[in-house]
């Protein structure tokens, strides 16, 4: 079994600039994930506990859904990718491609090694997440190529995966409108997990979360709420798959003169890094060559040891 890259937060490399501050704040919250088989409580807001700062929210969720600083995904991350263009220059600031190339064989397996007996070109480092067409294979995109048969006779299917470092822990997915106290209201939470049934060979495992937060409307009563669907990937370190959360109704007491609301946070993190694949190629004359390709990407990955997709917390400000 391949040992995943699990660099502790306190050993993360030093960074500079605004991105460093974000990573430092996230890294400070990372703890060792629970062992396989450990009991994981259903994640919901903690009784009458109210949080005023992001740090308090992070500290609370981190107790039951700790994250690794580094993560890896075997196969193409068809689920959970950020739809926004991810630029190489932004990834390089936090995770240089030279380090990623060193991590790949350890995180993803020996199939990513480049044997010295075959001429090597590259590495082929792409400029952004949209730069994913392969010139050696008629400009096919990475998603189409992952897991396809080798261009070499008796070669293995093309290996691909993702390696990255934590960019944002426990992103906010849902939020109610703020209510000024003194007030009390009921709110209902639910999250349903569905696996992606269209996955094929070469794609990573993941799925879709359909989440709902329902709170009262205005002073006239009635119900108003928000729904959000998001996709996620499972990493090489995943020990518990996410399962559907039961519907729960809770009360929120907002103190006099205080603004209060409810938030739904994903029990996972956005990871910034590279989709990587190794291309082992033979032309019509039997001439062989190989290269490693790295494509910038940002992927939402579930917390490895937690069994539910979201935590709902009470906020005050």
């Amino acid at each position: 079994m391949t040992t995943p890259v699990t660099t502790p937060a306190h050993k993360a490399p030093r960074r500079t600039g605004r991105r460093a501050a974000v990573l430092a704040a996230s890294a400070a919250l990372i703890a060792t994930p629970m062992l396989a088989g450990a009991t994981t409580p259903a994640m919901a807001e903690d009784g009458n506990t109210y949080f005023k700062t992001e740090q308090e929210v992070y500290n609370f969720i981190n107790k039951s859904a700790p994250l690794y600083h580094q993560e890896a995904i075997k196969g193409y991350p068809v689920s959970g990718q950020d739809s926004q263009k991810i630029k190489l220059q932004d990834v390089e600031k936090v995770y240089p491609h030279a380090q990623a190339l060193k991590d790949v064989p350890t995180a993803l397996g020996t199939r990513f090694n480049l044997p010295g007996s075959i001429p090597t070109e590259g590495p082929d480092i792409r400029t952004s997440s949209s730069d994913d067409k392969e010139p050696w294979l008629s400009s096919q995109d990475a998603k189409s190529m992952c897991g396809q048969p080798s261009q070499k006779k008796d070669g293995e299917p093309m290996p691909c995966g993702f390696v990255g470092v934590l960019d944002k822990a426990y992103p906010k997915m849902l939020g109610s409108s703020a209510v000024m106290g003194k007030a009390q209201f009921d709110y209902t939470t639910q999250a349903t997990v569905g696996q992606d049934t269209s996955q094929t060979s070469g794609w990573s495992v993941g799925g879709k979360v359909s989440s709902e937060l329902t709170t009262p409307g205005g002073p006239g009563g009635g119900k108003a709420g928000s729904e959000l669907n998001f996709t996620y990937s499972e990493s090489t370190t995943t020990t518990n798959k996410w399962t559907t959360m039961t519907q729960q109704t809770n009360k929120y007491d907002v103190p006099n003169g205080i603004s209060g609301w409810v938030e739904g946070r994903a029990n996972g993190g956005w990871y910034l890094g590279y989709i990587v694949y190794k291309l082992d190629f033979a032309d019509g004359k039997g001439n062989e060559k190989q290269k490693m390709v790295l494509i910038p990407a940002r992927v939402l990955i579930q917390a490895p040891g937690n069994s539910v997709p979201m935590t709902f917390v009470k906020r005050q400000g």
Side-chain angles (χ1 to χ4, degrees), residues 48-301:
N48 290 319
T49 300
Y50 308 111
F51 301 117
K52 295 182 179 180
T53 67
E54 284 292 297
Q55 185 67 51
E56 290 175 333
V57 174
Y58 289 147
N59 290 344
F60 173 67
I61 303 177
N62 190 56
K63 294 177 183 178
S64 295
L67 301 171
Y68 282 124
H69 174 64
Q70 271 184 290
E71 278 289 13
I73 297 171
K74 288 186 177 180
Y76 185 88
V78 67
S79 297
Q81 274 201 65
D82 193 336
S83 60
Q84 301 297 313
K85 179 185 284 189
I86 307 302
K87 297 180 180 179
L88 174 62
Q89 62 192 37
D90 295 327
V91 182
E92 290 278 9
K93 292 175 183 177
V94 298
Y95 193 30
H97 73 267
Q99 182 60 52
L101 285 168
K102 293 178 182 178
D103 294 338
V104 164
T106 303
L108 298 176
T110 57
R111 291 177 61 201
F112 285 84
N113 289 331
L114 297 171
S117 58
I118 301 175
T120 301
E121 295 188 11
D124 184 352
I125 312 300
R126 305 296 173 80
T127 59
S128 73
S129 54
S130 60
D131 184 13
D132 68 344
K133 305 297 188 295
E134 179 48 61
W136 287 11
L137 295 175
S138 304
S139 295
Q140 294 184 53
D141 60 31
K143 179 180 175 181
S144 300
M145 294 187 301
C146 283
Q148 295 300 313
S150 173
Q151 296 297 307
K152 286 179 54 181
K153 183 179 180 180
D154 301 325
E156 295 181 331
M158 193 182 79
C160 58
F162 171 83
V163 290
V165 295
L166 185 62
D167 182 53
K168 182 176 180 58
Y170 317 123
K172 177 183 173 181
M173 296 301 180
L174 292 170
S176 71
S177 299
V179 175
M180 182 61 68
K182 186 176 183 179
Q184 182 184 80
F185 61 87
D186 295 332
Y187 63 96
T188 302
T189 61
Q190 186 176 19
T192 303
V193 179
Q195 297 300 313
D196 189 340
T197 58
S198 65
Q199 291 175 353
T200 63
S201 175
W203 291 11
S204 68
V205 177
K208 180 176 73 174
V209 175
S210 299
S211 53
E212 182 178 355
L213 171 62
T214 304
T215 58
K223 292 289 183 180
S226 57
E227 296 182 13
L228 180 73
N229 296 333
F230 63 91
T231 59
Y232 67 95
S233 287
E234 296 174 7
S235 71
T236 58
T237 62
T238 297
T239 56
N240 290 326
K241 294 180 181 293
W242 278 348
T243 58
T244 296
M245 297 174 64
T246 58
Q247 186 179 84
Q248 291 186 349
T249 299
N250 303 282
K251 289 188 180 294
Y252 190 178
D253 291 296
V254 184
N256 189 38
I258 298 295
S259 177
W261 66 97
V262 179
E263 287 181 358
R265 299 294 189 109
N267 289 337
W270 282 106
Y271 284 80
L272 198 59
Y274 306 90
I275 294 171
V276 55
Y277 64 84
K278 186 190 81 168
L279 185 53
D280 194 353
F281 182 81
D283 62 21
K285 297 180 180 180
N287 299 315
E288 298 182 18
K289 58 181 178 180
Q290 63 182 353
K291 68 174 177 179
M292 196 79 77
V293 180
L294 272 67
I295 305 170
R298 189 170 185 252
V299 182
L300 181 63
I301 301 176

